[in-house]
Amino acid sequence: MRKTLTLALALAVLGTLPAAAQYVPSEGNLKARQQMQARRLGIFLHWGIYSTYAQGEWYLSTGKLQPDVYAEAAGGFYPARFDAAAWAKAFKDAGAGYVTLTSRHHDGFSMFDTAATDFDIMDATPFKRDVLAELTEAVKAEGMDMQYYYSLIDWIRPDYPKGHSGVAKDSTLANYNHYFDFEKAQIAELMAHHPRALWFDGIWDHEDETPAFPWRMEELYNYIHSIDPDCLVGNNHHRTVLEGEDFQMFEQDLPGENSAGLSEQSVISATLPLETCATMNWAWGYKVADQNYKSVKQIVHLLVRAASKGANLLLNIGPQANGELPAAALDRLKGLGEWMRENGHTVNGCGATGLPEEPWGVTTRDAHHLYLHILDPEKAPATYSFQGRTIPLPKAKADAIDTIVTIRL
Ligand code: GLC
């Protein structure tokens, strides 16, 4: 006994004790990671009953609405103009490789057919169509991958223990283990649609808690991978990745940057795909007053700079309650598509070069080419030196979105 203990201790100290919990990704999972990295643009969709209020996806919390009053929006949710095939085509034409839909946001409303609650699109709305299933089919038919966002928060269910966000709740009814079982039931339902990835959010709701809030994330990840080992798991917890996660994500900032104050985590690009999610305007969910959209040029620059860091851009749109994509978003998608048709090969299938970001722009590369992206023509030099070669650079037009110079390797 003593000997066994001593051996175990020695192995543990050496770090060689086989940790039962250590996650080993499947072959298919590693392939899915590569595929994720090869398609640099994803479209993020924040769509739910909050869209009917047109005040962003946090309206229950920011508007301090009583949950039962807020939930009445479900009765009026009838997105008559929703056309999954038209959405999928618009995303495909924009050059996107995948789509991430909010299956359930912090308000707890499920945008899919679920047996785990009646607070879902089939039971609580007059629309009674599984928009998640319809969109999944349409997205896959366009050859893109489908991913689901899933919030770990629930502002309405009594069993979710209230954190920083949301409105007051009867804390005596909180029962995380009960809530966890509900989540598992829903996740099994989502997995039946074979998403490429699940995208979690909300851990920050119990940040700063002592002792740490028992989210049981590893258990949830094991559960997901036991259903489908190839399904990628990511979590918007703003921390370094946890055991069992397959990609690392950043909110409103590129990896290694932190202008929004949400990205202090270190970047582990060597081993995992990276993804930055960003809004086109300010809010994630449809907000009628928020018309301050990034230009096509700004979006392209974000995408190119993401690719130069080996990261994807998950570009958000907040669809309207009537089922339409906002006109400004459609306009940006169109412009993005024009750029991608000509230049998509300089981001898709491309990664970081290891060369530093320059005052004039960035570089990306594939197996045979180095691409110089001149994003700020005023700062562009006349020549560029690379591996002992000096290459004259064309005069970049002042109004060009991105002047690309291709160098054969
Ligand atoms: C934040 C917001 C949430 C949004 C998410 C997207 O966590 O709380 O509303 O869905 O960012 O990254």
Side-chain angles (χ1 to χ4, degrees):
M1 173 72 178
R2 187 134 170 244
K3 235 187 200 159
T4 326
L5 264 182
T6 320
L7 180 67
L9 198 69
L11 286 172
V13 169
L14 290 172
T16 52
L17 191 64
Q22 203 182 352
Y23 166 56
V24 180
S26 67
E27 280 297 311
N29 187 294
L30 296 175
K31 264 201 199 116
R33 293 181 189 187
Q34 277 174 2
Q35 191 182 342
M36 181 171 186
Q37 286 168 311
R39 297 175 164 190
R40 289 294 178 204
L41 178 65
I43 298 294
F44 207 176
L45 296 172
H46 274 71
W47 199 33
I49 58 168
Y50 43 79
S51 314
T52 60
Y53 293 107
Q55 302 292 338
E57 79 289 358
W58 268 64
Y59 191 51
L60 191 163
S61 184
T62 55
K64 299 193 174 33
L65 298 187
Q66 282 309 304
D68 52 343
V69 173
Y70 172 87
E72 282 174 16
F77 190 66
Y78 196 90
R81 300 212 171 124
F82 173 63
D83 179 344
W87 281 20
K89 182 163 187 320
F91 305 148
K92 177 78 178 184
D93 288 350
Y98 64 103
V99 175
T100 307
L101 171 72
T102 45
S103 63
R104 179 171 156 279
H105 206 264
H106 312 332
D107 64 358
F109 184 80
S110 300
M111 293 291 277
F112 59 102
D113 188 7
T114 170
T117 172
D118 282 344
F119 194 43
D120 71 324
I121 195 151
M122 303 304 280
D123 297 306
T125 78
F127 197 55
K128 299 194 184 307
R129 270 165 57 188
D130 186 338
V131 293
L132 177 141
E134 288 183 28
L135 190 64
T136 302
E137 200 180 309
V139 161
K140 290 185 181 177
E142 287 285 359
M144 296 182 288
D145 291 305
M146 192 70 199
Q147 313 193 157
Y148 302 136
Y149 166 109
Y150 189 88
S151 176
L152 299 161
I153 297 177
D154 198 305
W155 287 332
I156 297 185
R157 283 179 68 97
D159 53 359
Y160 173 76
K162 185 186 172 318
H164 302 303
S165 65
V167 291
K169 274 200 216 181
D170 180 353
S171 61
T172 60
L173 300 174
N175 179 346
Y176 186 72
N177 289 341
H178 187 265
Y179 178 69
F180 187 78
D181 289 342
F182 157 76
E183 288 190 314
K184 276 174 74 178
Q186 285 213 312
I187 283 174
E189 292 172 333
L190 288 175
M191 298 292 287
H193 294 285
H194 308 291
R196 184 186 62 180
L198 292 182
W199 203 108
F200 291 100
D201 189 22
I203 281 198
W204 39 260
D205 197 35
H206 284 276
E207 208 72 80
D208 307 328
E209 206 146 306
T210 330
F213 186 80
W215 287 103
R216 299 169 62 187
M217 283 328 291
E218 261 190 72
E219 201 179 325
L220 194 64
Y221 298 165
N222 284 338
Y223 178 64
I224 294 164
H225 288 135
S226 74
I227 300 174
D228 180 2
D230 302 352
C231 181
L232 302 179
V233 172
N235 196 325
N236 187 33
H237 41 47
H238 307 152
R239 304 176 186 170
T240 308
V241 288
L242 305 174
E243 185 75 17
E245 293 175 3
D246 302 299
F247 62 102
Q248 186 179 24
M249 60 176 77
F250 301 80
E251 182 175 338
Q252 298 287 26
D253 264 302
L254 295 176
E257 300 179 358
N258 190 16
S259 65
L262 300 167
S263 308
E264 279 166 13
Q265 70 269 44
S266 50
V267 184
I268 48 164
S269 55
T271 46
L272 295 183
L274 306 175
E275 182 192 66
T276 282
C277 61
T279 46
M280 275 200 194
N281 44 354
W282 182 82
W284 298 93
Y286 180 61
K287 185 167 181 182
V288 67
D290 180 13
Q291 292 299 327
N292 190 16
Y293 275 70
K294 294 181 178 73
S295 65
V296 171
K297 185 171 182 169
Q298 284 172 314
I299 295 171
V300 167
H301 286 198
L302 195 56
L303 173 64
V304 168
R305 292 187 63 243
S308 80
K309 290 171 181 285
N312 291 9
L313 173 65
L314 182 61
L315 181 66
N316 184 71
I317 297 174
Q320 294 169 185
N322 67 358
E324 285 180 328
L325 302 173
L330 281 171
D331 173 75
R332 303 313 187 267
L333 288 182
K334 197 166 153 277
L336 199 48
E338 281 160 17
W339 187 87
M340 285 293 273
R341 270 188 289 284
E342 216 173 296
N343 307 298
H345 63 282
T346 67
V347 289
N348 286 332
C350 291
T353 58
L355 299 167
E357 184 159 346
E358 301 278 357
W360 48 263
V362 295
T363 53
T364 56
R365 66 164 292 169
D366 57 25
H368 304 294
H369 308 92
L370 174 73
Y371 301 105
L372 311 184
H373 296 266
I374 302 176
L375 304 178
D376 186 345
E378 277 187 17
K379 301 199 173 109
T383 56
Y384 182 75
S385 299
F386 176 69
Q387 290 181 346
R389 293 188 265 165
T390 299
I391 294 132
L393 297 184
K395 186 102 197 81
K397 284 203 197 109
D399 61 348
I401 289 184
D402 173 11
T403 302
I404 301 173
V405 179
T406 304
I407 300 172
R408 259 206 89 82
L409 296 174

